[in-house]
Every structure is written in structure tokens, then in C-alpha cells.
Amino acid sequence: MPETLDATAVRTWCALALDALGRAREEIDAINVYPVADGDTGTNLYLTVESAARAVEAVFEGHATADPAARDRLPGLPDAVRAMAHGALIGARGNSGTILAQLLRGMAEVLAAGEPAAGPDGGEALRRALRRAVASAYEGVARPVEGTVLTVAAAAAKAASRAPGGAPEVARAADEAARAALAVTPGQLDVLGEAGVVDAGGLGLVEVLGALSRALSGESAPPEARRERHHRAGRQEAGGDAPSTRVWRTEPETEPESATGCRPAPGGHATPAFEVIYLLDADDTAVARLRARLDALGDSLVVVGGDGLWNVHVHVDDAGAAVEAGIEAGRPHRVRITHFGPAAGTTARTREPVQRAVVTVVPGDGLAGLCGEASATVVPAGPGEVPASGELVAAIRRAHAREVVLLPNDPELRHTAAAAADQARTEGVRVALIPTRSAVQGIAALAVHEPERGFDEDVVAMTAAAGATRYAELAVAERQSWTMAGICQAGDVLGLIDGDVAVIGTELAATAETVLDRMLAAGGEMVTLVLGAGVPGSVADRLERHVRDGHLAVDTVVYRGGQQTAPLLIGVE
């Protein structure tokens, strides 16, 4: 184990934090009561750190690929911490995940300034990094509340500032102070005290800081042992023998000293109906106006990031207005809207599960809206952003159903979707995985979905519809390469049928016509065209005429999918 903060330590930290959150995820989800009792804080933190860890691994892999002759040379600390912070920012989920991303970004601002943490005296750099992390997180939260993850982070940074020694000693002090601060959160926030739990986001941060301490010191105690020590300490403070997943509140003789100066959260606050999250390309001036507008629309507002890329999180009753505010500020993308329940103030935890739901992965906002209108739970996928298994599991939980049909719509997601289905089954959900390989196959399956009929019958019908749909996509070649249809040049339009390049052309509509003729030569009754982002409607008009003129009795339906991955998707049933 490294004993200083360098790139290897960052890599180890991410791996240990991901492992710790994976073990603690269900426990954290179970105690999630603030700001919304939707039972997903542990999952959101896990997905946030998973994205950070993937970004760090990519830096190591890229370094080795760029210089194969120097495989023993490692990337520098600045590259590693910037990747960690950027990965967390683009992958942040939920309120706590977004705050954690900003904490990591604050640390990266200090540690990426050079190599200040190298050598035996790395403690000072870590002290400054933790202080900047907390200041940065407070800048991102519109209305900080005492007794939350921010309180835990502030206590950790304060203890780190006073700790002597190098980076391992500073990290250990931060870890211990965070656990002590977490234990008193039930006395600082009424909703926690009433539920008899510590703050879920704070517990997640404790796991992350514990992983940092272990990454620097080489401590071998497993996460379970750490948590049990924490719970024993919490029970001693509470003067009782509470269950190990809870720290029960006792009435203190005096109000606990504020670690942050935050105002207490009002008790019994009403919960808005929607959680809205999106990435936003915008400048600082526009973001300042956006904060003010979103603050007036809802609560739990967190806007984090910088350098033109921001992660926006807010709870509102009018989800459309929150997205429109982002459009006015810049370019929102990877928009995620979660309905907390059938009415404001009603949480998913109190809802009765529905009998059946469909969870589908889609590559564009237009397709997301189409599938949402069909009552499917949507998992968005951007260019090069294949969802992780944890994200699919989270979507299955969000669907809140006894039976779930899972549509991955991508051959690369086969194993990931299978792992997610297996995990959901262990939680008592009956899951059927239909191995759809394209969004058009998913659309065909969703079109015949009937939740009123038996589960097996519904799955068979959806599988048959997907299997009867041949699929194609039009893509643009990025470089010269050899394909099944010959050699293509950069900028050529490629027509892929069932995953293989079948046509090479120079213009989108003409290439698509050739692809359609080849597909319809084997017969067909329905053509589905899904237009990508920026593709004009005239392309669809031309292809509709081509099908109508050359293939009698074949209907055509057009959707504006908005996907960035391919300018055109085609399905033939």
C-alpha cells in the first residue's frame, strides 16, 4: 500500500471506496430518510464512485497505451485526481452523490496543482485539500442543513487541519472525526432523530474517508469491522443498545455544537414530486442565474462543477420548468427525472409496488420520452457511456414492481444486464431479461407489452416482437479501416445491418436507402426510423417516399430519437 497521496494511492482509494460502498449500499439505502426517503442514497453514492473509479482506470490504461515501452511509469497525481473528480461529476447520482462529486473536485483543485502530496510531508497538502473540498461543497449547496453529509465533511476537515504528521495520519484523523460527527447527526436533524438513524449521506462519506485512510496506511480491517466499531461508538454515545444499522437519538442536556453553522432543517417539510438531474454545458454567469431560478422552483438544490461543465440536482414539482431553466442557461444533457411518488409528500417507500414494469436502456432524450409515455422506467445511455450494472439495479428498484422486464437494447450490455437481473432477483423481484440488441427492438417489444396478461405470456410476446425485428444503424466512420463491406475512409457513412457493416456510402439518405432495400428484400411489414440529433426531417421524408414507392404494403413510422450515438436507427418488422 502507498503511504503518500500519489496516482497509485488515488487508484487504490477509489477501489477501496467502491468496495466499501458496495458492502454498505443496502444499509445506507435502508436508513435514507432525508431529504427524501426514497431508499437510494447508498446506490447513488456507489454509482458516483464507480464512475470516478472508471475514469481513474482509464488514465492508467491510456498512459500504458500511449507509451508501451514505459509500462512501469505511472501517471502523475494531477492526472489521477482530475480524472477522479471529472468521473464523479459526470456520474453523480442523487443529492449525496452530487455533493460527494464536489468534495472530490475541491480536493482535486489543490492536489492537481502539482505534486504537493508526494514525499513524507504530504500531510499539509491533504489538510488543504480537505478544507477546500468542504468550502467547495458549501458553494454548491443552495441551502445547507445541519446534520447531513456536509456536517460530517466539515468535522473531518476541521480535525484534519489540526492533525500532526503526514498524509496517513491526517487521513486517519479525518476518518475518526467523520465517524464521531456522524454519530450525533440524529440530534441535529429532527427527521433523523424521529427515525432513529444517522444521516445516510454522512454514512456514505464515512466509508469513502475510511477507504482513503486505508489506502494510505494499509490498514487491513474489513469494512464490516469498521462499521461495527462505529455502531458500538454510536450506541455508547446514545446510552443504549440500538440495532447495528442505527444510532438512536437521545435528548442532550444542551444543543450540540454546530460543526458548520448551517440552519436546522424544518421538520415535516413537504417533498416535491420530482428529482431532476442533468449535466449542463454553461458559463459561470449563466449558472449564477440558474441557481436563483431553480432555488425559487424547489429545494435540495445542488449545482456543482466548473470550467464549463456542471452537474445540476434539484427537487421540484414542475420538472419541465427545471429543465427549461437549464436550456436557458446552456446545453443540458443526460437529463434524469425521477418521480418520487403519486403526489408531493408521498415517498416510494410507502407506495404499494405495481405488479409489472418495463426497464429499458435508451440512447436519446426523444426515445426516453417515447418510452416514458409507455410507462417504462428509462435508463439513458450516451455516446461511450454504457450503464453500469448498479445503474440498472437502481432503475429496477425505482420501477417499484414485483415483476420487471429488462430491455438492454445493446449487445455490449448483455452481461451487465444479466448481473443486474441476478441482483434484483436476490431482492425478491421477478426479472425477465429480453436480450434486445438495438433500441428499435426495444420499441417493438414495448409496443406489444400488456401488463394485464400473465408474466410469462407477456415476456414471450415481447421476445417474439423483438426477435422479429431486424435492426440497422447508420454511422460515420472516424478513421480509415477495414470492414465486412470493404475499406472505408474517415467521414464515410456506414450502414450496419444486425451489427455488421453492409454498406459504405458518402451521403446519409442515399446510404440509408440502400440499407432499406437490402433489409426489405427479405420481406417486411413495418419500417421504424429513429432520427438522431441534428438530422433534418427531410431525410425521413425522403426515406418514407422511398419505402412507399419501392415496397408496397410496407408502413413507415418515424421517431425523433435525439440520440448522439448514430444519426439514424432502422427497424424492419
Side-chain angles (χ1 to χ4, degrees):
M1 287 285 186
E3 292 189 357
T4 188
L5 256 181
D6 56 12
T8 300
V10 171
R11 186 186 201 182
T12 304
W13 177 21
C14 287
L16 290 176
L18 189 62
D19 179 68
L21 287 171
R23 296 170 184 267
R25 179 188 57 75
E26 291 185 6
E27 175 185 351
I28 297 172
D29 284 346
I31 65 171
N32 172 202
V33 296
Y34 184 86
V36 176
D38 49 355
D40 63 359
T41 291
T43 300
N44 287 336
L45 287 168
Y46 179 87
L47 292 171
T48 302
V49 173
E50 183 180 48
S51 182
R54 283 204 306 263
V56 172
E57 287 301 318
V59 167
F60 275 80
E61 292 170 6
H63 185 83
T65 302
D67 191 3
R71 290 184 179 275
D72 292 338
R73 290 177 52 194
L74 299 173
L77 175 64
D79 288 340
V81 294
R82 287 192 194 104
M84 174 185 65
H86 182 73
L89 177 67
I90 65 173
R93 302 289 192 275
N95 187 284
S96 295
T98 308
I99 293 173
L100 175 60
Q102 189 70 350
L103 288 167
L104 296 178
R105 179 181 174 83
M107 292 186 69
E109 289 177 7
V110 173
L111 299 176
E115 290 279 358
D121 244 0
E124 180 54 31
L126 186 54
R127 293 183 193 96
R128 289 190 288 110
L130 289 170
R131 287 198 298 269
R132 178 56 194 147
V134 172
S136 181
Y138 272 93
E139 292 167 4
V141 178
R143 299 179 184 275
V145 172
E146 180 78 10
T148 65
V149 61
L150 289 173
T151 308
V152 176
K158 184 176 181 180
S161 296
R162 298 173 175 174
E169 290 76 22
V170 172
R172 186 178 305 113
D175 175 29
E176 292 173 354
R179 286 187 278 128
L182 177 68
V184 298
T185 55
Q188 297 170 318
L189 189 55
D190 287 345
V191 67
L192 302 179
E194 291 164 3
V197 297
V198 296
D199 179 65
L203 179 54
L205 181 60
V206 162
E207 297 296 343
V208 172
L209 291 175
L212 173 61
S213 179
R214 295 200 311 280
L216 292 171
S217 68
E219 180 185 346
S220 59
E224 292 91 338
R226 274 176 34 80
R227 287 203 297 278
E228 180 55 31
R229 288 200 303 272
H230 159 67
H231 292 310
R232 281 201 300 271
R235 289 195 295 270
Q236 289 167 3
E237 285 203 21
D241 192 21
S244 63
T245 56
R246 297 186 170 192
V247 178
W248 294 90
R249 177 184 181 184
T250 57
E251 295 298 331
E253 294 181 3
T254 59
E255 288 297 315
E257 180 183 354
S258 169
T260 64
C262 304
R263 63 178 178 80
H269 67 285
T271 302
F274 297 97
E275 177 185 58
V276 179
I277 304 174
Y278 49 82
L279 292 178
L280 178 70
D281 297 330
D283 59 35
D284 292 1
T285 304
V287 168
R289 294 193 299 269
L290 175 67
R291 289 180 195 271
R293 181 167 177 187
L294 292 179
D295 191 32
L297 285 175
D299 61 25
S300 297
L301 173 62
V302 184
V303 181
V304 302
D307 301 322
L309 179 63
W310 306 83
N311 192 306
V312 179
H313 171 281
V314 66
H315 294 172
V316 292
D317 284 322
D318 189 343
V323 176
E324 288 172 4
I327 294 172
E328 290 182 6
R331 186 181 75 88
H333 49 107
R334 295 186 65 176
V335 179
R336 300 169 187 273
I337 299 174
T338 302
H339 189 206
F340 287 131
T346 304
T347 67
R349 190 177 294 249
T350 60
R351 283 188 295 140
E352 277 295 315
V354 298
Q355 184 60 32
R356 189 174 311 149
V358 176
V359 173
T360 182
V361 179
V362 295
D365 293 342
L367 285 177
L370 174 69
C371 295
E373 289 174 4
S375 301
T377 298
V378 170
V379 180
E385 298 172 351
V386 178
S389 61
E391 191 166 357
L392 297 181
V393 172
I396 292 172
R397 294 194 188 106
R398 195 165 65 244
H400 202 56
R402 299 181 181 90
E403 302 167 340
V404 169
V405 181
L406 179 57
L407 306 174
N409 299 336
D410 187 336
E412 293 185 11
L413 280 175
R414 182 181 60 177
H415 297 300
T416 301
D422 287 342
Q423 173 61 38
R425 291 182 188 114
T426 67
E427 299 176 9
V429 181
R430 188 180 183 188
V431 181
L433 170 60
I434 298 178
T436 47
R437 300 169 63 85
S438 170
V440 291
Q441 289 188 326
I443 292 171
L446 193 56
V448 301
H449 167 56
E450 292 185 13
E452 294 78 15
R453 62 187 170 195
F455 183 66
D456 292 335
E457 183 184 358
D458 197 27
V459 170
V460 168
M462 294 176 73
T463 303
T469 303
R470 298 189 69 197
Y471 65 94
E473 71 175 65
L474 278 294
V476 178
E478 296 180 355
R479 63 184 68 86
Q480 183 187 62
S481 61
W482 171 259
T483 74
M484 296 288 290
I487 297 175
C488 70
Q489 305 296 325
D492 282 348
V493 178
L494 307 180
L496 293 85
I497 300 177
D498 294 337
D500 294 323
V501 176
V503 179
I504 299 175
T506 58
E507 193 264 332
L508 179 64
T511 307
E513 287 175 345
T514 304
V515 168
L516 281 167
D517 289 341
R518 292 199 182 187
M519 297 178 75
L520 289 169
E525 299 175 353
M526 170 76 75
V527 169
T528 299
L529 303 176
V530 181
L531 302 185
V535 177
S538 58
V539 171
D541 294 339
R542 175 175 167 177
L543 296 179
E544 281 189 277
R545 287 195 302 271
H546 181 79
V547 172
R548 184 171 59 248
D549 294 343
H551 305 276
L552 298 177
V554 177
D555 295 325
T556 303
V557 60
V558 178
Y559 300 113
R560 183 158 289 282
Q563 70 274 5
Q564 301 284 341
T565 51
L568 181 65
L569 302 177
I570 299 174
V572 174
E573 302 175 50

